[in-house]
């Protein structure tokens, strides 16, 4: 295990603070958080939430990835394989509008079948397979865009959007935030040529997520409000693309509001998304860009409560939440990661570890690389007078030094 993996968020915050020559009260003032929270996070007594991380990073004029220590060092063959495609994906994103020299793509039907397989891998958080297969397929879809015309050209751009969404998901889960940002920019570029409301909204949704993750919550809320204005005239219809777009944008607004500490606004956006999800139902159409429906809104409701540091409310929201077998593993895994955070805030350490283990079984690689999992494990270990064998085993599995 590398030295950087042994350091948690609290240690990095303390180091950055000392390098800046700041006291804990000065950091609290600059980041607009409480002094007690700064102390608790630095001492490992309280978990650092994403809102805390982005606020502190903004105060230090650095990125959340620096505070989180991402991307994590590759110290095993397994980790090297999971990240094996990153360099090629980076090159592919740079070449986005250039025809690949000498490459004649297969038929659009053959390529679409492989893109569907990649979409399935993305929803299942099969990161290793994605990393190995995505770069070559991205290049072929780029060639397809430069060889098709008419209606097939729009279809080719939709396939390219899926490639960028897969690249974004892989980069996000492995902690390559710079690459994630480029993938979202490319998604916005390609979406404009698809003729699809959902793909345009997808680009807007993920653009707002960058603003939210960097602590620019008010800008994210203003931008999302502007995006929803484009949809309002179509809401009376039952057009599924407009409804899913509307609901997805409200969920992203709820996250921005939750991280800004505005519970009333977060709950209002959640209520709007829930009402829209009731009209849509859980996805049963072939190509949803967003996995949006009552189940996903329920998963989000747990996460939003935890983002507002109300673990008890998150637990209550999860209590009667059905998770059908058809739920993508990435979403179900996220639910249990958030639920573990909720149990930790609630003070139930045994159930915290239970939820982490469920997340591990559901979406193992996603769980292993999730920074909030690492943070939860560190704080859980700190709170235990004597760490259990199961906790030590979980910590070793996800590369966390206690």
């Amino acid at each position: 295990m590398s030295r950087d993996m042994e350091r948690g968020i609290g240690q990095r915050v303390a180091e950055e603070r000392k390098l800046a020559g700041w006291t804990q009260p000065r950091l609290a003032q600059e980041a607009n958080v409480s002094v007690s929270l700064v102390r608790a996070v630095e001492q490992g007594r309280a978990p650092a939430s994403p809102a805390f991380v982005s606020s502190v990073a903004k105060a230090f004029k650095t990125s959340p990835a620096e505070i989180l220590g991402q991307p994590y060092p590759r110290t095993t063959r397994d980790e090297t394989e999971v990240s094996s495609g990153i360099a090629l994906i980076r090159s592919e994103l740079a070449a986005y509008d250039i025809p690949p020299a000498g490459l004649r793509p297969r038929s659009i039907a053959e390529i679409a079948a492989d893109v569907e397989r990649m979409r399935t891998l993305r929803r299942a958080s099969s990161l290793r397979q994605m990393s190995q297969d995505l770069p070559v397929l991205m290049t072929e879809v780029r060639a397809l865009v430069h060889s098709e015309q008419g209606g097939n050209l729009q279809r080719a751009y939709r396939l390219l959007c899926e490639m960028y969404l897969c690249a974004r998901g892989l980069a996000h889960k492995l902690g390559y935030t710079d690459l994630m940002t480029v993938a979202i920019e490319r998604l916005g570029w390609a979406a404009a040529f698809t003729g699809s409301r959902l793909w345009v909204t997808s680009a807007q949704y993920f653009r707002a997520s960058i603003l939210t993750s960097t602590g620019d919550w008010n800008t994210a809320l203003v931008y999302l409000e502007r995006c929803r204005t484009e949809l309002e005239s179509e809401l009376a219809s039952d057009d599924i693309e407009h409804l899913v777009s509307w609901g997805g944008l409200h969920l992203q607004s709820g996250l921005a509001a939750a991280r800004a500490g505005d519970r009333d606004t977060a709950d209002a956006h959640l209520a709007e998304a829930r009402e829209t999800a009731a009209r849509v139902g859980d996805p049963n159409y072939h190509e949803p860009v967003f996995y949006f429906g009552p189940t996903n809104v329920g998963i989000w409701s747990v996460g939003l409560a935890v983002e507002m540091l109300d673990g008890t409310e998150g637990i209550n929201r999860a209590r009667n939440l059905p998770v059908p077998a058809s739920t993508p593993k990435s979403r179900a895994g996220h639910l249990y990661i958030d639920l573990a955070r909720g149990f930790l805030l609630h003070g139930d350490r045994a159930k915290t570890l239970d939820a982490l283990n469920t997340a591990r079984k559901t979406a193992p690689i996603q769980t292993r690389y999730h920074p909030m999992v690492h943070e939860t494990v560190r704080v859980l270990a700190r709170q235990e007078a004597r760490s259990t064998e199961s906790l030590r085993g979980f910590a070793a599995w996800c590369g966390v030094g206690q």
Side-chain angles (χ1 to χ4, degrees):
M1 184 186 301
S2 72
R3 178 180 177 274
D4 198 57
M5 285 293 283
E6 292 174 354
R7 295 157 61 235
I9 294 173
Q11 290 169 289
R12 294 189 188 95
V13 169
E15 289 172 9
E16 290 285 343
R17 176 178 59 76
K18 291 170 185 176
L19 285 172
W22 290 356
T23 62
Q24 290 177 334
R26 171 72 184 278
L27 173 57
Q29 180 182 15
E30 295 288 341
N32 195 30
V33 298
S34 69
V35 178
S36 61
L37 181 58
V38 171
R39 288 178 180 145
V41 169
E42 287 194 3
Q43 294 168 7
R45 294 184 290 105
S49 67
F52 177 89
V53 170
S54 57
S55 296
V56 167
K58 198 171 184 180
F60 287 141
K61 295 182 173 60
T62 189
S63 69
E66 288 292 324
I67 303 299
L68 294 169
Q70 292 181 310
Y72 299 132
R74 292 173 290 179
T75 59
T76 66
R77 181 178 177 180
D78 227 27
E79 291 164 351
T80 299
E81 287 181 356
V82 171
S83 301
S84 62
I86 292 296
L88 294 174
I89 291 171
R90 194 181 299 278
S91 177
E92 181 60 36
L93 291 172
Y96 71 104
D97 61 348
I98 304 169
L103 176 59
R104 184 175 180 179
R106 294 170 293 160
S107 72
I108 193 167
E110 290 174 303
I111 294 175
D114 279 351
V115 170
E116 177 60 31
R117 183 178 68 85
M118 192 62 61
R119 181 186 293 116
T120 300
L121 292 174
R122 170 172 63 82
R123 292 176 183 151
S125 284
S126 300
L127 304 188
R128 182 182 291 103
Q129 198 64 50
M130 283 178 65
S131 188
Q132 293 172 0
D133 297 350
L134 183 58
V136 172
L137 187 56
M138 286 180 74
T139 303
E140 189 172 21
V141 176
R142 174 162 59 96
L144 185 70
V145 163
H146 288 282
S147 65
E148 293 292 348
Q149 299 178 6
N152 272 351
L153 180 58
Q154 281 193 337
R155 186 182 178 193
Y157 270 112
R158 294 185 189 196
L159 298 177
L160 188 60
C161 282
E162 180 60 50
M163 294 294 91
Y164 292 149
L165 195 58
C166 287
R168 177 262 163 202
L170 184 67
H172 171 65
K173 288 181 172 64
L174 295 180
Y176 291 88
T177 54
D178 61 328
L179 192 64
M180 177 190 72
T181 300
V182 176
I184 292 170
E185 290 173 353
R186 298 294 180 262
L187 175 61
W189 168 77
F193 300 102
T194 62
S196 166
R197 177 68 249 183
L198 272 178
W199 278 118
V200 170
T201 300
S202 177
Q204 295 169 337
Y205 174 98
F206 287 114
R207 182 182 177 187
S209 75
I210 295 174
L211 296 170
T212 298
S213 67
T214 55
D216 203 350
W217 304 307
N218 289 332
T219 302
L221 287 166
V222 169
Y223 173 64
L224 288 162
E225 178 67 29
R226 190 177 81 189
C227 295
R228 286 195 303 275
T229 299
E230 301 170 5
L231 297 167
E232 284 183 315
S233 62
E234 302 293 333
L235 291 180
S237 72
D238 287 326
D239 180 79
I240 197 164
E241 289 203 357
H242 283 83
L243 290 173
V244 169
S245 296
W246 178 262
L249 293 174
H250 271 292
L251 288 177
Q252 191 62 242
S253 293
L255 180 59
R259 291 194 180 171
D262 186 347
R263 181 163 193 152
D264 289 344
T265 299
D267 285 345
H269 285 296
L270 177 62
E272 188 69 39
R274 185 175 281 119
E275 181 181 330
T276 306
R279 293 176 64 183
V280 172
D282 274 330
N284 57 6
Y285 44 97
H286 176 63
E287 193 176 357
V289 179
F290 296 119
Y291 180 78
F292 180 81
T295 297
N296 197 36
V297 171
I299 292 171
W300 269 79
S301 74
V302 175
L304 291 180
V306 173
E307 291 292 342
M308 292 181 284
L309 304 182
D310 191 344
T312 304
E313 177 62 19
I315 294 166
N316 289 336
R317 289 178 178 182
R319 186 164 285 120
N320 297 313
L321 175 62
V323 183
S326 59
T327 305
K329 299 297 184 183
S330 59
R331 296 305 304 140
H334 212 294
L335 168 64
Y336 294 111
I337 290 169
D338 284 336
L339 194 53
R341 295 170 61 201
F343 280 123
L344 185 65
L345 291 167
H346 184 66
D348 192 330
R349 293 190 290 273
K351 289 187 177 178
T352 299
L353 188 56
D354 286 346
L356 287 174
N357 278 314
T358 303
R360 177 181 177 176
K361 292 175 185 175
T362 304
I365 298 180
Q366 173 178 293
T367 302
R368 184 177 184 181
Y369 286 95
H370 200 293
M372 290 299 104
V373 169
H374 287 215
E375 184 68 356
T376 300
V377 170
R378 289 184 194 279
V379 174
L380 188 61
R382 181 87 181 202
Q383 291 180 357
E384 294 280 359
R386 179 181 298 173
S387 62
T388 62
E389 183 177 345
S390 56
L391 177 57
R392 288 194 299 272
F394 191 96
W397 171 77
C398 64
V400 173
Q402 296 182 56

